[in-house]
Amino acid sequence: MFCPDLIIGRHPVHGILADGDVGDETALLLEQAGFVYDEDLGVHRVPAGLSLNAEQDCVERAMALLYGRLSVAYLSGDQATEAAGFPPQQFPPA
């Protein structure tokens, strides 16, 4: 089973997040790509309010900068929502 060092995907509430093995070098590369550290969530995220094209540019820059340094998985759509899980007050749809 593939277990990446870092997962990038769209959280259903918080937008595009990068979560996983984020040491100082990885954090710097994510920030160079346009991500910001969200202290409340404890992860890097694409800044809120960007257009879809700008969000995608951040993700593409991050993937290019991280290439060959660590394993990165990009989850899209339903995969990212499933990985994020359901908020504690909600239950999966029947």
Side-chain angles (χ1 to χ4, degrees):
M1 177 177 184
F2 175 63
C3 186
D5 298 314
L6 184 72
I7 296 174
I8 298 175
R10 180 176 297 281
H11 186 277
V13 175
H14 302 292
I16 297 177
L17 305 178
D19 192 13
D21 183 16
V22 182
D24 291 342
E25 183 180 354
T26 302
L28 179 62
L29 294 172
L30 285 169
E31 290 164 10
Q32 287 176 356
F35 282 71
V36 295
Y37 185 73
D38 186 312
E39 290 186 25
D40 292 335
L41 298 175
V43 298
H44 280 78
R45 66 180 297 161
V46 171
L50 294 182
S51 69
L52 290 177
N53 286 340
E55 287 180 344
Q56 188 62 35
D57 288 345
C58 284
V59 170
E60 289 175 8
R61 282 192 303 271
M63 297 294 280
L65 288 169
L66 295 168
Y67 180 78
R69 296 176 185 270
L70 68 160
S71 59
V72 180
Y74 176 77
L75 301 180
S76 60
D78 292 338
Q79 291 175 326
T81 300
E82 183 178 324
F86 293 91
Q89 305 86 335
Q90 295 183 359
F91 298 95

